mmCIF file with all atom_site columns, all heavy atoms in Angstrom:
data_model
loop_
_atom_site.group_PDB
_atom_site.id
_atom_site.type_symbol
_atom_site.label_atom_id
_atom_site.label_alt_id
_atom_site.label_comp_id
_atom_site.label_asym_id
_atom_site.label_entity_id
_atom_site.label_seq_id
_atom_site.pdbx_PDB_ins_code
_atom_site.Cartn_x
_atom_site.Cartn_y
_atom_site.Cartn_z
_atom_site.occupancy
_atom_site.B_iso_or_equiv
_atom_site.pdbx_formal_charge
_atom_site.auth_seq_id
_atom_site.auth_comp_id
_atom_site.auth_asym_id
_atom_site.auth_atom_id
_atom_site.pdbx_PDB_model_num
ATOM 1   N N   . ALA A 1 54  ? 4.699  -36.898 -44.093 1.00 0.00 ? 308 ALA A N   1
ATOM 2   C CA  . ALA A 1 54  ? 4.413  -35.494 -43.357 1.00 0.00 ? 308 ALA A CA  1
ATOM 3   C C   . ALA A 1 54  ? 2.944  -35.354 -43.264 1.00 0.00 ? 308 ALA A C   1
ATOM 4   O O   . ALA A 1 54  ? 2.266  -34.467 -43.754 1.00 0.00 ? 308 ALA A O   1
ATOM 5   C CB  . ALA A 1 54  ? 5.069  -34.486 -44.120 1.00 0.00 ? 308 ALA A CB  1
ATOM 6   N N   . ARG A 1 55  ? 2.377  -36.204 -42.362 1.00 0.00 ? 309 ARG A N   1
ATOM 7   C CA  . ARG A 1 55  ? 0.804  -36.174 -42.084 1.00 0.00 ? 309 ARG A CA  1
ATOM 8   C C   . ARG A 1 55  ? 0.666  -35.902 -40.634 1.00 0.00 ? 309 ARG A C   1
ATOM 9   O O   . ARG A 1 55  ? 1.489  -36.077 -39.780 1.00 0.00 ? 309 ARG A O   1
ATOM 10  C CB  . ARG A 1 55  ? 0.228  -37.551 -42.465 1.00 0.00 ? 309 ARG A CB  1
ATOM 11  C CG  . ARG A 1 55  ? 0.549  -37.898 -43.928 1.00 0.00 ? 309 ARG A CG  1
ATOM 12  C CD  . ARG A 1 55  ? -0.207 -39.305 -44.361 1.00 0.00 ? 309 ARG A CD  1
ATOM 13  N NE  . ARG A 1 55  ? -0.071 -39.507 -45.708 1.00 0.00 ? 309 ARG A NE  1
ATOM 14  C CZ  . ARG A 1 55  ? -0.881 -39.138 -46.633 1.00 0.00 ? 309 ARG A CZ  1
ATOM 15  N NH1 . ARG A 1 55  ? -1.953 -38.371 -46.139 1.00 0.00 ? 309 ARG A NH1 1
ATOM 16  N NH2 . ARG A 1 55  ? -0.776 -39.390 -47.879 1.00 0.00 ? 309 ARG A NH2 1
ATOM 17  N N   . SER A 1 56  ? -0.635 -35.550 -40.377 1.00 0.00 ? 310 SER A N   1
ATOM 18  C CA  . SER A 1 56  ? -0.995 -35.252 -39.030 1.00 0.00 ? 310 SER A CA  1
ATOM 19  C C   . SER A 1 56  ? -0.623 -36.426 -38.020 1.00 0.00 ? 310 SER A C   1
ATOM 20  O O   . SER A 1 56  ? -0.958 -37.562 -38.402 1.00 0.00 ? 310 SER A O   1
ATOM 21  C CB  . SER A 1 56  ? -2.465 -34.875 -38.818 1.00 0.00 ? 310 SER A CB  1
ATOM 22  O OG  . SER A 1 56  ? -2.891 -34.668 -37.662 1.00 0.00 ? 310 SER A OG  1
ATOM 23  N N   . GLY A 1 57  ? 0.054  -36.138 -36.965 1.00 0.00 ? 311 GLY A N   1
ATOM 24  C CA  . GLY A 1 57  ? 0.560  -37.108 -35.952 1.00 0.00 ? 311 GLY A CA  1
ATOM 25  C C   . GLY A 1 57  ? 1.725  -37.722 -36.255 1.00 0.00 ? 311 GLY A C   1
ATOM 26  O O   . GLY A 1 57  ? 2.274  -38.465 -35.445 1.00 0.00 ? 311 GLY A O   1
ATOM 27  N N   . SER A 1 58  ? 2.402  -37.482 -37.420 1.00 0.00 ? 312 SER A N   1
ATOM 28  C CA  . SER A 1 58  ? 3.769  -37.921 -37.660 1.00 0.00 ? 312 SER A CA  1
ATOM 29  C C   . SER A 1 58  ? 4.750  -36.839 -37.315 1.00 0.00 ? 312 SER A C   1
ATOM 30  O O   . SER A 1 58  ? 4.659  -35.749 -37.602 1.00 0.00 ? 312 SER A O   1
ATOM 31  C CB  . SER A 1 58  ? 3.948  -38.254 -39.217 1.00 0.00 ? 312 SER A CB  1
ATOM 32  O OG  . SER A 1 58  ? 3.103  -39.232 -39.561 1.00 0.00 ? 312 SER A OG  1
ATOM 33  N N   . ILE A 1 60  ? 8.103  -34.828 -37.643 1.00 0.00 ? 314 ILE A N   1
ATOM 34  C CA  . ILE A 1 60  ? 8.919  -34.473 -38.740 1.00 0.00 ? 314 ILE A CA  1
ATOM 35  C C   . ILE A 1 60  ? 10.366 -34.120 -38.211 1.00 0.00 ? 314 ILE A C   1
ATOM 36  O O   . ILE A 1 60  ? 11.277 -34.132 -38.918 1.00 0.00 ? 314 ILE A O   1
ATOM 37  C CB  . ILE A 1 60  ? 8.334  -33.468 -39.758 1.00 0.00 ? 314 ILE A CB  1
ATOM 38  C CG1 . ILE A 1 60  ? 8.016  -32.131 -39.042 1.00 0.00 ? 314 ILE A CG1 1
ATOM 39  C CG2 . ILE A 1 60  ? 7.225  -33.944 -40.547 1.00 0.00 ? 314 ILE A CG2 1
ATOM 40  C CD1 . ILE A 1 60  ? 7.644  -31.032 -39.987 1.00 0.00 ? 314 ILE A CD1 1
ATOM 41  N N   . PHE A 1 80  ? 7.322  -21.827 -29.613 1.00 0.00 ? 334 PHE A N   1
ATOM 42  C CA  . PHE A 1 80  ? 7.447  -22.453 -30.791 1.00 0.00 ? 334 PHE A CA  1
ATOM 43  C C   . PHE A 1 80  ? 6.862  -21.522 -31.940 1.00 0.00 ? 334 PHE A C   1
ATOM 44  O O   . PHE A 1 80  ? 5.586  -21.233 -31.695 1.00 0.00 ? 334 PHE A O   1
ATOM 45  C CB  . PHE A 1 80  ? 7.028  -23.840 -30.894 1.00 0.00 ? 334 PHE A CB  1
ATOM 46  C CG  . PHE A 1 80  ? 7.076  -24.465 -32.191 1.00 0.00 ? 334 PHE A CG  1
ATOM 47  C CD1 . PHE A 1 80  ? 8.316  -25.005 -32.681 1.00 0.00 ? 334 PHE A CD1 1
ATOM 48  C CD2 . PHE A 1 80  ? 5.976  -24.591 -33.020 1.00 0.00 ? 334 PHE A CD2 1
ATOM 49  C CE1 . PHE A 1 80  ? 8.517  -25.568 -33.935 1.00 0.00 ? 334 PHE A CE1 1
ATOM 50  C CE2 . PHE A 1 80  ? 6.114  -25.188 -34.245 1.00 0.00 ? 334 PHE A CE2 1
ATOM 51  C CZ  . PHE A 1 80  ? 7.416  -25.783 -34.797 1.00 0.00 ? 334 PHE A CZ  1
ATOM 52  N N   . ASP A 1 82  ? 6.017  -20.870 -36.085 1.00 0.00 ? 336 ASP A N   1
ATOM 53  C CA  . ASP A 1 82  ? 5.925  -21.510 -37.434 1.00 0.00 ? 336 ASP A CA  1
ATOM 54  C C   . ASP A 1 82  ? 5.219  -20.553 -38.382 1.00 0.00 ? 336 ASP A C   1
ATOM 55  O O   . ASP A 1 82  ? 4.018  -20.506 -38.170 1.00 0.00 ? 336 ASP A O   1
ATOM 56  C CB  . ASP A 1 82  ? 5.275  -22.823 -37.256 1.00 0.00 ? 336 ASP A CB  1
ATOM 57  C CG  . ASP A 1 82  ? 4.509  -23.291 -38.579 1.00 0.00 ? 336 ASP A CG  1
ATOM 58  O OD1 . ASP A 1 82  ? 5.146  -23.261 -39.596 1.00 0.00 ? 336 ASP A OD1 1
ATOM 59  O OD2 . ASP A 1 82  ? 3.368  -23.849 -38.445 1.00 0.00 ? 336 ASP A OD2 1
ATOM 60  N N   . SER A 1 84  ? 4.191  -20.665 -41.261 1.00 0.00 ? 338 SER A N   1
ATOM 61  C CA  . SER A 1 84  ? 3.194  -21.356 -42.206 1.00 0.00 ? 338 SER A CA  1
ATOM 62  C C   . SER A 1 84  ? 1.897  -21.683 -41.408 1.00 0.00 ? 338 SER A C   1
ATOM 63  O O   . SER A 1 84  ? 0.912  -21.840 -41.973 1.00 0.00 ? 338 SER A O   1
ATOM 64  C CB  . SER A 1 84  ? 3.743  -22.702 -42.730 1.00 0.00 ? 338 SER A CB  1
ATOM 65  O OG  . SER A 1 84  ? 3.764  -23.676 -41.732 1.00 0.00 ? 338 SER A OG  1
ATOM 66  N N   . GLY A 1 85  ? 2.021  -21.725 -39.937 1.00 0.00 ? 339 GLY A N   1
ATOM 67  C CA  . GLY A 1 85  ? 0.864  -22.055 -39.132 1.00 0.00 ? 339 GLY A CA  1
ATOM 68  C C   . GLY A 1 85  ? 0.442  -23.461 -39.368 1.00 0.00 ? 339 GLY A C   1
ATOM 69  O O   . GLY A 1 85  ? -0.718 -23.813 -38.951 1.00 0.00 ? 339 GLY A O   1
ATOM 70  N N   . GLN A 1 86  ? 1.288  -24.332 -39.858 1.00 0.00 ? 340 GLN A N   1
ATOM 71  C CA  . GLN A 1 86  ? 0.863  -25.771 -40.191 1.00 0.00 ? 340 GLN A CA  1
ATOM 72  C C   . GLN A 1 86  ? 1.491  -26.792 -39.307 1.00 0.00 ? 340 GLN A C   1
ATOM 73  O O   . GLN A 1 86  ? 1.362  -27.995 -39.511 1.00 0.00 ? 340 GLN A O   1
ATOM 74  C CB  . GLN A 1 86  ? 1.170  -26.156 -41.626 1.00 0.00 ? 340 GLN A CB  1
ATOM 75  C CG  . GLN A 1 86  ? 0.452  -25.248 -42.645 1.00 0.00 ? 340 GLN A CG  1
ATOM 76  C CD  . GLN A 1 86  ? 0.591  -25.672 -43.998 1.00 0.00 ? 340 GLN A CD  1
ATOM 77  O OE1 . GLN A 1 86  ? 0.318  -26.722 -44.393 1.00 0.00 ? 340 GLN A OE1 1
ATOM 78  N NE2 . GLN A 1 86  ? 1.157  -24.727 -44.932 1.00 0.00 ? 340 GLN A NE2 1
ATOM 79  N N   . LEU A 1 87  ? 2.264  -26.256 -38.248 1.00 0.00 ? 341 LEU A N   1
ATOM 80  C CA  . LEU A 1 87  ? 2.945  -27.279 -37.356 1.00 0.00 ? 341 LEU A CA  1
ATOM 81  C C   . LEU A 1 87  ? 2.664  -27.041 -35.938 1.00 0.00 ? 341 LEU A C   1
ATOM 82  O O   . LEU A 1 87  ? 2.296  -25.871 -35.502 1.00 0.00 ? 341 LEU A O   1
ATOM 83  C CB  . LEU A 1 87  ? 4.492  -26.960 -37.648 1.00 0.00 ? 341 LEU A CB  1
ATOM 84  C CG  . LEU A 1 87  ? 5.081  -27.150 -38.998 1.00 0.00 ? 341 LEU A CG  1
ATOM 85  C CD1 . LEU A 1 87  ? 6.550  -26.839 -39.061 1.00 0.00 ? 341 LEU A CD1 1
ATOM 86  C CD2 . LEU A 1 87  ? 4.829  -28.627 -39.569 1.00 0.00 ? 341 LEU A CD2 1
ATOM 87  N N   . ASN A 1 88  ? 2.780  -28.093 -35.182 1.00 0.00 ? 342 ASN A N   1
ATOM 88  C CA  . ASN A 1 88  ? 2.615  -27.895 -33.762 1.00 0.00 ? 342 ASN A CA  1
ATOM 89  C C   . ASN A 1 88  ? 3.812  -28.647 -33.071 1.00 0.00 ? 342 ASN A C   1
ATOM 90  O O   . ASN A 1 88  ? 4.394  -29.512 -33.693 1.00 0.00 ? 342 ASN A O   1
ATOM 91  C CB  . ASN A 1 88  ? 1.394  -28.716 -33.267 1.00 0.00 ? 342 ASN A CB  1
ATOM 92  C CG  . ASN A 1 88  ? 0.113  -27.974 -33.481 1.00 0.00 ? 342 ASN A CG  1
ATOM 93  O OD1 . ASN A 1 88  ? -0.062 -26.795 -33.278 1.00 0.00 ? 342 ASN A OD1 1
ATOM 94  N ND2 . ASN A 1 88  ? -0.911 -28.796 -33.747 1.00 0.00 ? 342 ASN A ND2 1
ATOM 95  N N   . ALA A 1 89  ? 4.142  -28.117 -31.819 1.00 0.00 ? 343 ALA A N   1
ATOM 96  C CA  . ALA A 1 89  ? 5.253  -28.776 -31.053 1.00 0.00 ? 343 ALA A CA  1
ATOM 97  C C   . ALA A 1 89  ? 4.631  -29.290 -29.918 1.00 0.00 ? 343 ALA A C   1
ATOM 98  O O   . ALA A 1 89  ? 3.984  -28.581 -29.045 1.00 0.00 ? 343 ALA A O   1
ATOM 99  C CB  . ALA A 1 89  ? 6.318  -27.792 -30.780 1.00 0.00 ? 343 ALA A CB  1
ATOM 100 N N   . TYR A 1 90  ? 4.760  -30.692 -29.518 1.00 0.00 ? 344 TYR A N   1
ATOM 101 C CA  . TYR A 1 90  ? 4.217  -31.296 -28.443 1.00 0.00 ? 344 TYR A CA  1
ATOM 102 C C   . TYR A 1 90  ? 5.218  -31.734 -27.478 1.00 0.00 ? 344 TYR A C   1
ATOM 103 O O   . TYR A 1 90  ? 6.334  -32.332 -27.857 1.00 0.00 ? 344 TYR A O   1
ATOM 104 C CB  . TYR A 1 90  ? 3.429  -32.587 -28.889 1.00 0.00 ? 344 TYR A CB  1
ATOM 105 C CG  . TYR A 1 90  ? 2.222  -32.230 -29.719 1.00 0.00 ? 344 TYR A CG  1
ATOM 106 C CD1 . TYR A 1 90  ? 2.422  -32.391 -31.087 1.00 0.00 ? 344 TYR A CD1 1
ATOM 107 C CD2 . TYR A 1 90  ? 1.016  -31.888 -29.246 1.00 0.00 ? 344 TYR A CD2 1
ATOM 108 C CE1 . TYR A 1 90  ? 1.268  -32.126 -32.011 1.00 0.00 ? 344 TYR A CE1 1
ATOM 109 C CE2 . TYR A 1 90  ? 0.004  -31.577 -30.143 1.00 0.00 ? 344 TYR A CE2 1
ATOM 110 C CZ  . TYR A 1 90  ? 0.100  -31.668 -31.531 1.00 0.00 ? 344 TYR A CZ  1
ATOM 111 O OH  . TYR A 1 90  ? -0.898 -31.351 -32.219 1.00 0.00 ? 344 TYR A OH  1
ATOM 112 N N   . VAL A 1 98  ? 7.765  -32.095 -33.265 1.00 0.00 ? 352 VAL A N   1
ATOM 113 C CA  . VAL A 1 98  ? 7.190  -31.193 -34.192 1.00 0.00 ? 352 VAL A CA  1
ATOM 114 C C   . VAL A 1 98  ? 6.364  -32.151 -35.143 1.00 0.00 ? 352 VAL A C   1
ATOM 115 O O   . VAL A 1 98  ? 6.937  -32.954 -35.895 1.00 0.00 ? 352 VAL A O   1
ATOM 116 C CB  . VAL A 1 98  ? 8.180  -30.306 -34.888 1.00 0.00 ? 352 VAL A CB  1
ATOM 117 C CG1 . VAL A 1 98  ? 7.476  -29.398 -36.037 1.00 0.00 ? 352 VAL A CG1 1
ATOM 118 C CG2 . VAL A 1 98  ? 8.910  -29.508 -33.908 1.00 0.00 ? 352 VAL A CG2 1
ATOM 119 N N   . GLN A 1 99  ? 5.061  -31.812 -35.222 1.00 0.00 ? 353 GLN A N   1
ATOM 120 C CA  . GLN A 1 99  ? 4.222  -32.539 -36.095 1.00 0.00 ? 353 GLN A CA  1
ATOM 121 C C   . GLN A 1 99  ? 3.296  -31.639 -36.886 1.00 0.00 ? 353 GLN A C   1
ATOM 122 O O   . GLN A 1 99  ? 2.930  -30.585 -36.448 1.00 0.00 ? 353 GLN A O   1
ATOM 123 C CB  . GLN A 1 99  ? 3.334  -33.507 -35.243 1.00 0.00 ? 353 GLN A CB  1
ATOM 124 C CG  . GLN A 1 99  ? 4.139  -34.494 -34.505 1.00 0.00 ? 353 GLN A CG  1
ATOM 125 C CD  . GLN A 1 99  ? 3.303  -35.350 -33.553 1.00 0.00 ? 353 GLN A CD  1
ATOM 126 O OE1 . GLN A 1 99  ? 2.093  -35.145 -33.365 1.00 0.00 ? 353 GLN A OE1 1
ATOM 127 N NE2 . GLN A 1 99  ? 3.869  -36.419 -32.975 1.00 0.00 ? 353 GLN A NE2 1
ATOM 128 N N   . PRO A 1 100 ? 2.909  -32.102 -38.115 1.00 0.00 ? 354 PRO A N   1
ATOM 129 C CA  . PRO A 1 100 ? 2.016  -31.248 -38.964 1.00 0.00 ? 354 PRO A CA  1
ATOM 130 C C   . PRO A 1 100 ? 0.612  -31.358 -38.351 1.00 0.00 ? 354 PRO A C   1
ATOM 131 O O   . PRO A 1 100 ? 0.127  -32.361 -37.796 1.00 0.00 ? 354 PRO A O   1
ATOM 132 C CB  . PRO A 1 100 ? 1.959  -32.061 -40.260 1.00 0.00 ? 354 PRO A CB  1
ATOM 133 C CG  . PRO A 1 100 ? 3.103  -33.004 -40.307 1.00 0.00 ? 354 PRO A CG  1
ATOM 134 C CD  . PRO A 1 100 ? 3.400  -33.263 -38.802 1.00 0.00 ? 354 PRO A CD  1
ATOM 135 N N   . LYS A 1 101 ? -0.147 -30.204 -38.458 1.00 0.00 ? 355 LYS A N   1
ATOM 136 C CA  . LYS A 1 101 ? -1.478 -30.166 -38.050 1.00 0.00 ? 355 LYS A CA  1
ATOM 137 C C   . LYS A 1 101 ? -2.354 -30.934 -39.018 1.00 0.00 ? 355 LYS A C   1
ATOM 138 O O   . LYS A 1 101 ? -3.383 -31.552 -38.597 1.00 0.00 ? 355 LYS A O   1
ATOM 139 C CB  . LYS A 1 101 ? -2.036 -28.609 -38.006 1.00 0.00 ? 355 LYS A CB  1
ATOM 140 C CG  . LYS A 1 101 ? -1.327 -27.924 -36.874 1.00 0.00 ? 355 LYS A CG  1
ATOM 141 C CD  . LYS A 1 101 ? -1.829 -26.393 -36.928 1.00 0.00 ? 355 LYS A CD  1
ATOM 142 C CE  . LYS A 1 101 ? -1.145 -25.520 -35.901 1.00 0.00 ? 355 LYS A CE  1
ATOM 143 N NZ  . LYS A 1 101 ? -1.631 -24.136 -35.967 1.00 0.00 ? 355 LYS A NZ  1
ATOM 144 N N   . ASN A 1 102 ? -2.038 -30.855 -40.298 1.00 0.00 ? 356 ASN A N   1
ATOM 145 C CA  . ASN A 1 102 ? -2.595 -31.607 -41.365 1.00 0.00 ? 356 ASN A CA  1
ATOM 146 C C   . ASN A 1 102 ? -1.643 -32.142 -42.294 1.00 0.00 ? 356 ASN A C   1
ATOM 147 O O   . ASN A 1 102 ? -0.425 -31.905 -42.167 1.00 0.00 ? 356 ASN A O   1
ATOM 148 C CB  . ASN A 1 102 ? -3.566 -30.664 -42.181 1.00 0.00 ? 356 ASN A CB  1
ATOM 149 C CG  . ASN A 1 102 ? -4.783 -29.999 -41.221 1.00 0.00 ? 356 ASN A CG  1
ATOM 150 O OD1 . ASN A 1 102 ? -5.555 -30.775 -40.642 1.00 0.00 ? 356 ASN A OD1 1
ATOM 151 N ND2 . ASN A 1 102 ? -4.687 -28.757 -41.084 1.00 0.00 ? 356 ASN A ND2 1
ATOM 152 N N   . ASN A 1 103 ? -2.087 -32.803 -43.392 1.00 0.00 ? 357 ASN A N   1
ATOM 153 C CA  . ASN A 1 103 ? -1.007 -33.206 -44.373 1.00 0.00 ? 357 ASN A CA  1
ATOM 154 C C   . ASN A 1 103 ? -0.373 -32.175 -44.936 1.00 0.00 ? 357 ASN A C   1
ATOM 155 O O   . ASN A 1 103 ? -0.984 -31.214 -45.402 1.00 0.00 ? 357 ASN A O   1
ATOM 156 C CB  . ASN A 1 103 ? -1.758 -34.167 -45.381 1.00 0.00 ? 357 ASN A CB  1
ATOM 157 C CG  . ASN A 1 103 ? -2.420 -35.376 -44.867 1.00 0.00 ? 357 ASN A CG  1
ATOM 158 O OD1 . ASN A 1 103 ? -2.214 -35.744 -43.610 1.00 0.00 ? 357 ASN A OD1 1
ATOM 159 N ND2 . ASN A 1 103 ? -3.311 -36.086 -45.599 1.00 0.00 ? 357 ASN A ND2 1
ATOM 160 N N   . LEU A 1 104 ? 0.978  -32.172 -45.065 1.00 0.00 ? 358 LEU A N   1
ATOM 161 C CA  . LEU A 1 104 ? 1.782  -31.169 -45.633 1.00 0.00 ? 358 LEU A CA  1
ATOM 162 C C   . LEU A 1 104 ? 1.932  -31.433 -47.191 1.00 0.00 ? 358 LEU A C   1
ATOM 163 O O   . LEU A 1 104 ? 2.166  -32.441 -47.499 1.00 0.00 ? 358 LEU A O   1
ATOM 164 C CB  . LEU A 1 104 ? 3.170  -31.003 -44.987 1.00 0.00 ? 358 LEU A CB  1
ATOM 165 C CG  . LEU A 1 104 ? 3.080  -30.699 -43.449 1.00 0.00 ? 358 LEU A CG  1
ATOM 166 C CD1 . LEU A 1 104 ? 4.608  -30.674 -42.881 1.00 0.00 ? 358 LEU A CD1 1
ATOM 167 C CD2 . LEU A 1 104 ? 2.364  -29.305 -43.239 1.00 0.00 ? 358 LEU A CD2 1
#
Side-chain angles (χ1 to χ4, degrees):
R309 299 179 174 276
S310 179
S312 297
I314 59 172
F334 177 79
D336 153 43
S338 74
Q340 297 186 59
L341 305 174
N342 281 324
Y344 299 99
V352 178
Q353 300 177 349
K355 293 178 181 178
N356 298 299
N357 298 349
L358 296 179

